[in-house]
Each structure stands twice: as C-alpha cells, then as structure tokens.
Amino acid sequence: MRIRELAISGAWEFVPQLHGDSRGYFAEQFKVSEFERAVGRPFDLRQVNTSTSAAGVLRGIHYTEDPPGQAKYVTCLRGAFLDVVVDLRPNSPTFGQWDSVIIDGTQRNSVFVAEGLGHALLSLADDSTTTYLCSLEYTPEFDRDLDAFDPDLGIDWPTTDLDGNPLTYIRSAKDQVAPSFRDTFHLSATDH
C-alpha cells in the first residue's frame, strides 16, 4: 500500500495494491498495522456508511464538533469523487486551508480525515459509490456544516465530470444554507 500525508496534517491518502487475474481483482483496503504505522494512532471503528451519488452531487462541507470529533476513512467503490479536506482546527498552522484527492473505483484509493477536519465529496460520475468507516456513531447534536462555496475557503471545485461534461452542482437543502467559515469561527475581516 502506498501512503502519503496530504497538505493538511491529519489527512492521509491510502492507495492499495490491486492483485488482478481473469476473475477480477483483490485489494487490502484497510490494514490496521499499516494505518497505525502511517498515522501513529489506532482507528476506533464505530459505524460504516455507504452513499451513491449522481454526477454533480456535492456532500459537505461536514464536520463533527471537536471534542468528540469524528475521524473518517473514505473509499470510492465505483465512479469517482473529488474528496476535499478542510482544516477547521483554530490552533493549526493550516487552519482554513484545504487539500483534495480524486478517489475512484479503479484505483480504490482512500482518504483518512482526522477529528477537527471538515470533509466534502463531489461526485464526478453517475452512480459513484463511497463507503466510509467512522470513529463515532452518527450524533446529530455534534453535526456541523460549512458552505462549500465560501469564498474565504476558496475551494477550486471542478466544473466538468470525468468525461468533460459540464457539472450541475446538486446539494441538500441543509448544505445550501450552511454558514460561512468566517461566521462559524467568529473571524473578523482581517483574520485568516
């Protein structure tokens, strides 16, 4: 497995080795020993989620109030997503910055998102499917959202799908009214 830390501390990409033959392929998608060696801590699995999205579906930016926080290990099973990680830890040197990785069903790469980081997925193909391991069960009272199109974050969202067709962004009602980064973290115009 190839592993690399993203530009945001606490976020990692994991790319498994695919073993293929005439029957298909096999991959070790998550291996505790390799995860702990790279990240330096265990992953406490509490819930597994799966979602399927049409091209243009944008889920996020979502995060869990920290503490308790929620870590995620996100894998694309089919199609492709732009996986975006945003640093929401006020004392971090990369607070308010973001990084992204394309995860897809061909490479089967995964992204680990530590507690205190925001996360968003943009589907780049119809029927894109992701599964994610979570360190905390769904707890609505800790759930938070940020506006994915907030100019203060400046996320460079793709405007076309994998085939070069224009994307129409599709967001939930909740995501459409998510607060700004500046309002959420009570920043002045000169902060950040």
Side-chain angles (χ1 to χ4, degrees):
M1 185 174 290
R2 286 184 298 113
I3 304 170
R4 72 175 180 98
E5 189 168 18
L6 301 184
I8 305 301
S9 174
W12 301 77
E13 179 185 21
F14 293 81
V15 184
Q17 183 176 358
L18 303 179
H19 304 278
D21 59 25
S22 61
R23 300 168 298 164
Y25 72 88
F26 170 83
E28 293 178 341
Q29 202 61 55
F30 178 85
K31 195 170 184 178
V32 169
S33 60
E34 292 194 29
F35 177 87
E36 288 180 1
R37 186 171 30 257
V39 178
R41 59 174 256 197
F43 186 84
D44 186 19
L45 178 62
R46 296 294 176 179
Q47 183 170 320
V48 178
N49 301 324
T50 301
S51 69
T52 300
S53 301
V57 169
L58 174 55
R59 299 178 187 273
I61 301 167
H62 301 149
Y63 66 103
T64 303
E65 193 173 295
D66 190 23
Q70 181 187 62
K72 298 176 184 174
Y73 189 90
V74 184
T75 304
C76 180
L77 302 176
R78 179 177 56 215
F81 292 91
L82 181 70
D83 188 302
V84 176
V85 179
V86 182
D87 192 342
L88 302 177
R89 303 166 296 190
N91 295 325
S92 170
T94 55
F95 177 59
Q97 296 178 29
W98 62 275
D99 198 359
S100 66
V101 174
I102 291 182
I103 58 174
D104 63 49
T106 302
Q107 189 174 218
R108 292 285 172 112
N109 53 330
S110 302
V111 171
F112 172 68
V113 181
E115 298 87 348
L117 302 178
H119 183 249
L121 288 169
L122 173 63
S123 177
L124 301 174
D126 282 334
D127 295 320
S128 291
T129 302
T130 185
T131 187
Y132 44 107
L133 314 179
C134 301
S135 68
L136 180 72
E137 291 182 15
Y138 174 64
T139 313
E141 61 266 26
F142 297 132
D143 261 13
R144 303 290 181 268
D145 308 293
L146 286 178
D147 181 6
F149 294 107
D150 187 327
D152 285 325
L153 294 175
I155 297 171
D156 186 16
W157 296 107
T159 57
T160 60
D161 67 14
L162 289 180
D163 297 322
N165 301 312
L167 278 177
T168 300
Y169 301 117
I170 304 163
R171 299 193 295 163
S172 71
K174 182 177 81 148
D175 286 348
Q176 289 178 38
V177 297
S180 72
F181 174 72
R182 191 172 300 280
D183 288 346
T184 299
F185 291 94
H186 310 291
L187 303 173
S188 70
T190 57
D191 289 335
H192 181 255

Coordinates of all heavy atoms in Angstrom, one line a residue, residues 1-62:
M1 N 0.8 -1.2 0.0 CA 0.0 0.0 0.0 C 0.9 1.2 0.0 O 1.8 1.3 0.8 CB -0.9 0.0 1.2 CG -1.9 1.1 1.3 SD -3.1 1.0 2.6 CE -4.1 -0.3 2.1
R2 N 0.6 2.2 -0.9 CA 1.2 3.5 -0.9 C 0.5 4.4 0.0 O -0.8 4.5 -0.1 CB 1.3 4.1 -2.3 CG 2.3 3.4 -3.2 CD 2.5 4.0 -4.6 NE 1.2 4.0 -5.3 CZ 0.5 5.1 -5.7 NH1 0.9 6.3 -5.3 NH2 -0.6 5.0 -6.3
I3 N 1.2 5.2 0.8 CA 0.5 6.1 1.8 C 1.2 7.4 1.7 O 2.5 7.5 1.7 CB 0.6 5.5 3.2 CG1 0.0 4.1 3.3 CG2 0.0 6.4 4.2 CD1 0.3 3.3 4.6
R4 N 0.4 8.5 1.7 CA 1.0 9.8 1.7 C 0.2 10.7 2.6 O -1.1 10.6 2.5 CB 1.3 10.4 0.4 CG 0.0 10.8 -0.3 CD 0.3 11.5 -1.7 NE -1.0 11.9 -2.3 CZ -1.5 13.1 -2.3 NH1 -0.9 14.1 -1.6 NH2 -2.6 13.4 -2.9
E5 N 0.8 11.6 3.3 CA 0.1 12.6 4.1 C -0.3 13.8 3.1 O 0.5 14.2 2.3 CB 0.9 13.1 5.3 CG 0.1 14.0 6.2 CD 0.8 14.3 7.5 OE1 2.0 14.1 7.6 OE2 0.1 14.7 8.5
L6 N -1.5 14.3 3.3 CA -1.9 15.5 2.5 C -1.3 16.7 3.0 O -0.6 16.7 4.1 CB -3.4 15.5 2.4 CG -4.2 14.3 1.9 CD1 -5.6 14.6 1.8 CD2 -3.6 13.9 0.5
A7 N -1.5 17.9 2.4 CA -1.0 19.1 2.8 C -1.6 19.6 4.2 O -1.1 20.4 4.8 CB -1.3 20.2 1.8
I8 N -2.8 19.0 4.5 CA -3.4 19.2 5.8 C -3.0 18.1 6.8 O -3.3 16.9 6.5 CB -4.9 19.3 5.7 CG1 -5.4 20.3 4.6 CG2 -5.6 19.5 7.0 CD1 -5.0 21.7 4.8
S9 N -2.3 18.5 7.8 CA -1.9 17.5 8.8 C -3.1 16.8 9.4 O -4.1 17.4 9.7 CB -1.2 18.2 10.0 OG -0.9 17.3 11.0
G10 N -3.0 15.4 9.5 CA -4.2 14.6 10.0 C -5.0 14.1 8.8 O -6.0 13.4 9.1
A11 N -4.6 14.3 7.6 CA -5.3 13.7 6.4 C -4.3 13.0 5.6 O -3.2 13.4 5.3 CB -5.9 14.8 5.6
W12 N -4.7 11.8 5.2 CA -3.8 10.8 4.5 C -4.5 10.2 3.3 O -5.7 9.9 3.4 CB -3.3 9.7 5.5 CG -2.6 10.2 6.7 CD1 -3.2 10.8 7.8 CD2 -1.2 10.2 6.9 NE1 -2.2 11.1 8.7 CE2 -1.0 10.7 8.2 CE3 -0.1 9.7 6.1 CZ2 0.3 10.8 8.7 CZ3 1.1 9.8 6.7 CH2 1.3 10.4 7.9
E13 N -3.7 9.9 2.3 CA -4.3 9.1 1.2 C -3.6 7.7 1.3 O -2.4 7.6 1.5 CB -3.9 9.7 -0.2 CG -4.4 8.8 -1.3 CD -4.0 9.4 -2.7 OE1 -3.1 10.1 -2.8 OE2 -4.7 9.0 -3.7
F14 N -4.5 6.7 1.1 CA -4.0 5.3 1.1 C -4.4 4.7 -0.3 O -5.5 4.7 -0.7 CB -4.7 4.5 2.2 CG -4.3 4.9 3.6 CD1 -4.9 6.0 4.2 CD2 -3.4 4.2 4.3 CE1 -4.6 6.4 5.5 CE2 -3.0 4.6 5.6 CZ -3.6 5.7 6.2
V15 N -3.4 4.1 -1.0 CA -3.6 3.5 -2.3 C -3.2 2.1 -2.2 O -2.0 1.7 -2.1 CB -2.8 4.2 -3.4 CG1 -3.1 3.7 -4.7 CG2 -3.0 5.8 -3.4
P16 N -4.2 1.2 -2.2 CA -3.9 -0.3 -2.1 C -3.3 -0.8 -3.4 O -3.4 -0.3 -4.5 CB -5.3 -0.9 -1.9 CG -6.2 0.0 -2.6 CD -5.6 1.4 -2.5
Q17 N -2.5 -1.9 -3.2 CA -2.0 -2.7 -4.3 C -3.1 -3.6 -4.8 O -3.7 -4.3 -4.0 CB -0.8 -3.5 -3.9 CG -0.2 -4.2 -5.1 CD 1.1 -5.0 -4.7 OE1 1.5 -4.9 -3.6 NE2 1.6 -5.7 -5.7
L18 N -3.5 -3.5 -6.1 CA -4.5 -4.3 -6.7 C -3.9 -5.6 -7.2 O -2.9 -5.5 -8.0 CB -5.3 -3.6 -7.8 CG -5.9 -2.2 -7.4 CD1 -6.6 -1.6 -8.5 CD2 -6.9 -2.4 -6.2
H19 N -4.4 -6.7 -6.9 CA -3.9 -8.0 -7.3 C -5.0 -8.6 -8.3 O -6.1 -8.9 -7.8 CB -3.7 -9.0 -6.2 CG -2.8 -8.5 -5.1 ND1 -1.4 -8.5 -5.3 CD2 -3.0 -7.8 -4.0 CE1 -0.8 -8.0 -4.2 NE2 -1.8 -7.5 -3.4
G20 N -4.8 -8.6 -9.6 CA -5.8 -9.0 -10.5 C -5.4 -10.2 -11.3 O -4.3 -10.6 -11.5
D21 N -6.5 -10.9 -11.8 CA -6.4 -12.0 -12.7 C -7.7 -12.1 -13.5 O -8.4 -11.1 -13.5 CB -6.1 -13.3 -12.0 CG -7.1 -13.7 -10.9 OD1 -8.3 -13.3 -11.1 OD2 -6.8 -14.5 -10.0
S22 N -7.9 -13.2 -14.2 CA -9.1 -13.3 -15.1 C -10.4 -13.2 -14.3 O -11.4 -12.9 -14.9 CB -9.0 -14.6 -15.9 OG -9.0 -15.7 -15.0
R23 N -10.4 -13.4 -13.0 CA -11.6 -13.3 -12.2 C -11.9 -11.9 -11.8 O -13.1 -11.7 -11.3 CB -11.4 -14.2 -11.0 CG -11.2 -15.7 -11.2 CD -10.7 -16.4 -10.0 NE -9.5 -15.8 -9.5 CZ -9.0 -16.0 -8.3 NH1 -9.7 -16.7 -7.4 NH2 -7.9 -15.4 -7.9
G24 N -11.0 -11.0 -11.8 CA -11.2 -9.7 -11.3 C -10.0 -9.3 -10.5 O -8.8 -9.5 -10.9
Y25 N -10.2 -8.6 -9.3 CA -9.0 -8.2 -8.5 C -9.3 -8.3 -7.1 O -10.5 -8.4 -6.7 CB -8.5 -6.9 -8.9 CG -9.3 -5.7 -8.5 CD1 -9.2 -5.1 -7.3 CD2 -10.3 -5.2 -9.4 CE1 -10.0 -4.1 -6.9 CE2 -11.1 -4.1 -9.0 CZ -11.0 -3.6 -7.7 OH -11.7 -2.6 -7.3
F26 N -8.3 -8.2 -6.3 CA -8.4 -8.3 -4.8 C -7.5 -7.1 -4.3 O -6.4 -6.9 -4.8 CB -7.9 -9.6 -4.3 CG -7.7 -9.6 -2.8 CD1 -8.8 -9.8 -1.9 CD2 -6.4 -9.4 -2.2 CE1 -8.6 -9.8 -0.6 CE2 -6.3 -9.3 -0.8 CZ -7.4 -9.6 0.0
A27 N -7.9 -6.5 -3.2 CA -7.1 -5.4 -2.6 C -7.3 -5.4 -1.1 O -8.4 -5.7 -0.6 CB -7.5 -4.0 -3.2
E28 N -6.2 -5.2 -0.4 CA -6.4 -5.0 1.1 C -6.7 -3.5 1.3 O -5.9 -2.6 1.2 CB -5.1 -5.3 1.8 CG -4.7 -6.8 1.7 CD -3.4 -7.1 2.4 OE1 -2.5 -6.2 2.6 OE2 -3.2 -8.3 2.7
Q29 N -8.0 -3.2 1.5 CA -8.5 -1.8 1.5 C -8.1 -1.1 2.8 O -7.9 0.1 2.8 CB -10.0 -1.8 1.4 CG -10.6 -0.6 0.9 CD -10.0 -0.2 -0.5 OE1 -10.1 -0.9 -1.4 NE2 -9.5 1.0 -0.5
F30 N -8.1 -1.8 3.9 CA -7.7 -1.2 5.2 C -7.0 -2.2 6.0 O -7.5 -3.3 6.2 CB -9.0 -0.7 6.0 CG -8.7 -0.1 7.3 CD1 -8.4 1.2 7.5 CD2 -8.7 -0.9 8.5 CE1 -8.1 1.8 8.7 CE2 -8.4 -0.4 9.7 CZ -8.1 1.0 9.8
K31 N -5.8 -1.9 6.5 CA -5.0 -2.8 7.3 C -4.5 -2.0 8.5 O -3.8 -1.0 8.4 CB -3.8 -3.3 6.4 CG -3.1 -4.5 7.0 CD -2.1 -5.0 5.9 CE -1.5 -6.3 6.4 NZ -0.6 -6.8 5.4
V32 N -4.9 -2.5 9.7 CA -4.6 -1.8 10.9 C -3.2 -1.5 11.1 O -2.8 -0.4 11.4 CB -5.2 -2.6 12.1 CG1 -4.7 -2.0 13.4 CG2 -6.7 -2.6 12.1
S33 N -2.3 -2.5 10.8 CA -0.9 -2.3 11.1 C -0.3 -1.2 10.2 O 0.5 -0.3 10.7 CB -0.1 -3.6 10.8 OG -0.3 -4.0 9.5
E34 N -0.7 -1.1 8.9 CA -0.2 -0.1 8.0 C -0.8 1.3 8.4 O -0.1 2.3 8.3 CB -0.5 -0.4 6.6 CG 0.4 -1.6 6.1 CD 0.4 -1.8 4.6 OE1 0.3 -0.8 3.9 OE2 0.6 -3.0 4.2
F35 N -2.1 1.3 8.7 CA -2.7 2.5 9.1 C -2.0 3.1 10.4 O -1.6 4.3 10.4 CB -4.2 2.3 9.4 CG -4.9 3.5 9.9 CD1 -5.5 4.4 9.1 CD2 -5.0 3.8 11.3 CE1 -6.1 5.6 9.5 CE2 -5.6 4.9 11.8 CZ -6.2 5.8 10.8
E36 N -1.8 2.3 11.4 CA -1.2 2.8 12.6 C 0.2 3.2 12.4 O 0.7 4.2 13.0 CB -1.3 1.7 13.7 CG -2.8 1.6 14.2 CD -2.9 0.5 15.3 OE1 -1.9 -0.1 15.7 OE2 -4.1 0.3 15.8
R37 N 0.9 2.5 11.6 CA 2.3 2.9 11.3 C 2.4 4.3 10.6 O 3.2 5.1 11.0 CB 3.0 1.8 10.5 CG 4.5 2.1 10.2 CD 5.3 0.9 9.6 NE 4.5 0.1 8.6 CZ 4.0 -1.1 8.9 NH1 4.2 -1.7 10.1 NH2 3.4 -1.8 8.0
A38 N 1.5 4.5 9.7 CA 1.5 5.8 9.0 C 1.0 6.9 9.8 O 1.6 8.0 9.9 CB 0.7 5.7 7.7
V39 N -0.2 6.7 10.4 CA -0.9 7.8 11.1 C -0.4 8.0 12.6 O -0.6 9.0 13.2 CB -2.4 7.5 11.0 CG1 -3.2 8.6 11.8 CG2 -2.9 7.5 9.6
G40 N 0.1 6.9 13.2 CA 0.6 7.0 14.5 C -0.4 6.8 15.6 O -0.2 7.2 16.7
R41 N -1.6 6.2 15.3 CA -2.6 6.0 16.2 C -3.6 5.0 15.7 O -3.6 4.7 14.5 CB -3.4 7.3 16.5 CG -4.0 7.8 15.2 CD -4.9 9.0 15.4 NE -6.3 8.6 15.3 CZ -7.2 9.5 15.1 NH1 -7.0 10.8 15.1 NH2 -8.5 9.1 15.1
P42 N -4.4 4.4 16.6 CA -5.4 3.4 16.1 C -6.6 4.1 15.5 O -6.8 5.3 15.7 CB -5.7 2.6 17.4 CG -5.4 3.6 18.5 CD -4.3 4.4 18.0
F43 N -7.4 3.3 14.8 CA -8.7 3.8 14.3 C -9.7 3.0 15.0 O -9.8 1.8 14.9 CB -8.8 3.6 12.8 CG -10.0 4.2 12.2 CD1 -10.0 5.5 11.9 CD2 -11.2 3.4 12.0 CE1 -11.2 6.1 11.3 CE2 -12.3 4.0 11.5 CZ -12.3 5.4 11.2
D44 N -10.6 3.7 15.8 CA -11.6 3.1 16.6 C -12.9 3.1 15.8 O -13.7 4.1 15.8 CB -11.8 3.9 17.9 CG -12.7 3.3 18.8 OD1 -13.0 2.1 18.7 OD2 -13.2 4.0 19.7
L45 N -13.2 2.0 15.1 CA -14.4 1.9 14.2 C -15.7 1.8 15.0 O -15.8 1.0 15.9 CB -14.2 0.7 13.3 CG -15.4 0.4 12.4 CD1 -15.6 1.5 11.4 CD2 -15.2 -0.9 11.6
R46 N -16.6 2.7 14.7 CA -17.9 2.8 15.4 C -19.1 2.7 14.4 O -20.2 2.3 14.9 CB -18.1 4.1 16.2 CG -17.1 4.2 17.3 CD -17.3 3.1 18.4 NE -16.3 3.2 19.4 CZ -16.3 2.4 20.4 NH1 -17.2 1.5 20.6 NH2 -15.3 2.5 21.3
Q47 N -18.9 3.0 13.2 CA -20.0 3.0 12.2 C -19.5 2.9 10.8 O -18.4 3.5 10.5 CB -20.9 4.2 12.4 CG -22.1 4.3 11.5 CD -23.1 5.4 11.9 OE1 -23.3 5.7 13.0 NE2 -23.7 6.0 10.9
V48 N -20.2 2.3 9.9 CA -19.8 2.2 8.5 C -21.0 2.8 7.7 O -22.1 2.3 7.8 CB -19.4 0.8 8.0 CG1 -19.1 0.8 6.5 CG2 -18.3 0.3 8.8
N49 N -20.7 3.7 6.8 CA -21.7 4.3 5.9 C -21.4 4.1 4.5 O -20.2 4.0 4.1 CB -21.8 5.8 6.2 CG -22.2 6.2 7.6 OD1 -22.9 5.5 8.3 ND2 -21.6 7.2 8.1
T50 N -22.5 4.0 3.6 CA -22.3 4.0 2.2 C -23.3 4.9 1.5 O -24.4 5.1 2.0 CB -22.6 2.5 1.7 OG1 -21.7 1.6 2.3 CG2 -22.4 2.4 0.2
S51 N -22.8 5.6 0.5 CA -23.7 6.5 -0.3 C -23.4 6.4 -1.8 O -22.3 6.1 -2.2 CB -23.6 8.0 0.2 OG -22.3 8.5 -0.2
T52 N -24.4 6.6 -2.6 CA -24.3 6.6 -4.0 C -24.8 7.9 -4.5 O -25.8 8.5 -4.0 CB -25.2 5.4 -4.6 OG1 -24.7 4.2 -4.1 CG2 -25.1 5.4 -6.1
S53 N -24.1 8.5 -5.5 CA -24.4 9.9 -5.9 C -24.4 10.0 -7.4 O -23.5 9.4 -8.1 CB -23.4 10.9 -5.3 OG -23.4 10.8 -3.9
A54 N -25.2 10.8 -7.9 CA -25.2 11.2 -9.4 C -24.1 12.2 -9.6 O -23.6 12.8 -8.6 CB -26.5 11.8 -9.7
A55 N -23.6 12.3 -10.8 CA -22.6 13.3 -11.1 C -23.1 14.7 -10.7 O -24.2 15.1 -10.9 CB -22.3 13.3 -12.6
G56 N -22.2 15.4 -10.0 CA -22.6 16.8 -9.6 C -23.1 16.9 -8.1 O -23.2 18.0 -7.6
V57 N -23.4 15.7 -7.5 CA -23.8 15.8 -6.1 C -22.6 16.2 -5.2 O -21.5 15.6 -5.3 CB -24.4 14.4 -5.6 CG1 -24.5 14.4 -4.1 CG2 -25.7 14.1 -6.3
L58 N -22.8 17.2 -4.5 CA -21.8 17.7 -3.6 C -22.3 17.6 -2.1 O -23.3 18.2 -1.8 CB -21.5 19.2 -3.9 CG -20.6 20.0 -3.0 CD1 -19.2 19.3 -2.8 CD2 -20.4 21.4 -3.5
R59 N -21.6 16.8 -1.4 CA -22.0 16.5 0.0 C -20.9 17.2 0.9 O -19.8 16.8 0.9 CB -22.0 15.0 0.3 CG -23.0 14.2 -0.5 CD -22.9 12.7 -0.3 NE -23.8 12.0 -1.2 CZ -25.1 11.7 -1.0 NH1 -25.7 12.2 0.1 NH2 -25.7 11.0 -1.9
G60 N -21.4 18.2 1.7 CA -20.4 18.9 2.6 C -20.3 20.3 2.2 O -21.0 20.8 1.3
I61 N -19.6 20.9 3.0 CA -18.5 20.5 4.0 C -19.2 20.1 5.3 O -19.9 20.9 5.9 CB -17.5 21.7 4.2 CG1 -16.9 22.1 2.9 CG2 -16.5 21.3 5.2 CD1 -16.1 23.4 2.9
H62 N -18.9 18.9 5.7 CA -19.4 18.4 7.0 C -18.3 18.2 8.0 O -17.2 17.8 7.6 CB -20.1 17.1 6.8 CG -21.3 17.2 5.8 ND1 -21.7 16.2 5.0 CD2 -22.1 18.2 5.5 CE1 -22.7 16.5 4.3 NE2 -23.0 17.8 4.5

